[in-house]
Amino acid sequence: MLRVTLQYPIATLDIQLLFPPGTLLTKEILDALVYSPRANSCQTYPLLLYGSVKEDCLNFLSTPPYVTIFLDKKEVNDILNHLGAFHLSLPVLQSLDYFKQHDFHTYAHILMVFILSTLLAKDLISDQEFIQLSATGPTHDIGKICVPLHILKKATPLTKTERGYIEHHAAAGYVLLTYYYKDIQHLACKVALDHHERRDGSGYPRSILLKDPMVEIVAVSDVYDALIRPRPYRSAAYDNRTALEEITEMAEQNKIGWDVVKALITHNRKSKSHYREITISADKRGTPPSYNVYGIIAEKTDPKD
């Protein structure tokens, strides 16, 4: 049962305050939001016809290591055609505009996590679950519109309060999508809330045991793309080998499952064997970036810490 107390506010891009800090999120509170007069139906648009989304996706797919992962052009076209059939609400699409203008790394990350998740889902889940997952759209990090930009883009260690704001994006995304979709059970809402949870209960915001394979596909795609993409808090992106070794280590620690890791690794190999047939080397030869302050809490704290 969902019971999360908000430490920070949740507001839409047009500055509608949905919940203030201190709100205890319960089913009753969210039902009241869904059925409130202000939760009007939103106009929808085809995702790939919105702005430069399709062009940007193709550009991202043409860069390493995605150019290898998506080597099969027919497969790329099939995925894009499939995604092109889905419509998303205008506020969700406007969140992409927001990130493209103010935090391009997050914009690219949201789109690529969505496309990579769609690819892995074809291998790992049923056709019906695949349709459900791909219909969530590029929404898993929409809650980051509630995180101040100076925190999202900070290059030095975060304070405890700033780290709390970063983790706030999971609950914020859940609330925003519940509000836009008017459906507390929508899979997109669940993915936004739980994509930082782990199998061993070490994740956030609820520290639950992650058991949903659809959410886990997004969770692994999220970690992978975050590693291989530049970030302000480290000196460079992880090279592909090191990124895959980091994810393999997460599976060794039972934070994520082996099937999704194997599916990701097999798509990184030109042979494209079935994921159940591959062997993963236990040898770790990767080299992480020389400077990386991710997860480090600043010794100098602000007055709220």
Side-chain angles (χ1 to χ4, degrees), residues 233-239 242 286-294 296:
Y233 49 75
R234 61 177 182 242
S235 56
Y238 280 68
D239 67 82
T242 307
T287 304
S290 58
Y291 174 82
N292 187 355
V293 296
Y294 179 80
I296 297 175

Side-chain angles (χ1 to χ4, degrees), residues 68-287:
T68 299
I69 294 174
F70 293 90
L71 192 61
D72 186 335
K73 300 307 178 187
K74 181 181 182 302
E75 189 170 52
V76 171
N77 288 332
D78 288 346
I79 289 175
L80 291 178
N81 288 335
H82 178 74
L83 301 183
F86 293 108
H87 289 58
L88 294 177
S89 67
L90 185 57
V92 172
L93 294 169
Q94 287 172 334
S95 72
L96 295 178
D97 290 334
Y98 171 82
F99 290 121
K100 185 172 183 178
Q101 179 180 355
H102 297 291
D103 184 3
F104 191 80
H105 291 314
T106 295
Y107 170 72
H109 173 69
I110 290 172
L111 289 176
M112 289 314 302
V113 168
F114 174 47
I115 294 177
L116 181 58
S117 297
T118 303
L119 176 69
L120 298 180
K122 292 178 67 178
D123 295 341
L124 295 165
I125 56 181
S126 70
D127 290 346
Q128 183 59 40
E129 289 173 323
F130 172 75
I131 292 171
Q132 283 183 274
L133 185 60
S134 58
T136 62
T139 58
H140 80 288
D141 267 350
I142 191 174
K144 287 185 177 178
I145 69 170
C146 297
V147 181
L149 286 168
H150 75 273
I151 297 177
L152 282 180
K153 301 164 81 169
K154 191 175 181 183
T156 54
L158 300 174
T159 67
K160 183 179 178 181
T161 296
E162 289 168 340
R163 181 65 195 174
Y165 243 122
I166 291 289
E167 295 187 358
H168 172 65
H169 84 273
Y174 177 78
V175 170
L176 288 165
L177 293 173
T178 295
Y179 179 64
Y180 294 140
Y181 290 140
K182 298 197 296 184
D183 181 3
I184 194 173
Q185 300 295 332
H186 197 290
L187 180 61
C189 307
K190 179 177 177 60
V191 169
L193 180 65
D194 291 343
H195 70 277
H196 283 287
E197 302 291 0
R198 299 292 180 255
R199 284 194 171 201
D200 63 352
S202 63
Y204 67 84
R206 296 185 290 164
S207 299
I208 62 171
L209 303 180
L210 179 58
K211 298 179 180 180
D212 190 320
M214 290 187 283
V215 177
E216 187 173 62
I217 289 169
V218 178
V220 173
S221 299
D222 178 65
V223 173
Y224 177 70
D225 188 79
L227 291 173
I228 64 171
R229 194 171 297 284
R231 282 291 187 269
Y233 49 75
R234 61 177 182 242
S235 56
Y238 280 68
D239 67 82
N240 197 46
R241 180 187 180 90
T242 307
L244 292 173
E245 288 178 357
E246 291 283 327
I247 290 173
T248 299
E249 187 171 342
M250 291 178 68
E252 291 170 347
Q253 296 169 349
N254 193 37
K255 295 183 182 298
I256 55 177
W258 279 106
D259 280 354
V260 65
V261 174
K262 287 183 175 182
L264 174 61
I265 290 175
T266 197
H267 279 292
N268 269 279
R269 297 177 178 176
K270 291 184 178 180
S271 62
K272 306 297 182 186
S273 304
H274 192 280
Y275 73 91
R276 289 198 179 96
E277 299 173 354
I278 70 167
T279 300
I280 299 177
S281 172
D283 193 20
K284 303 291 194 302
R285 298 198 301 263
T287 304

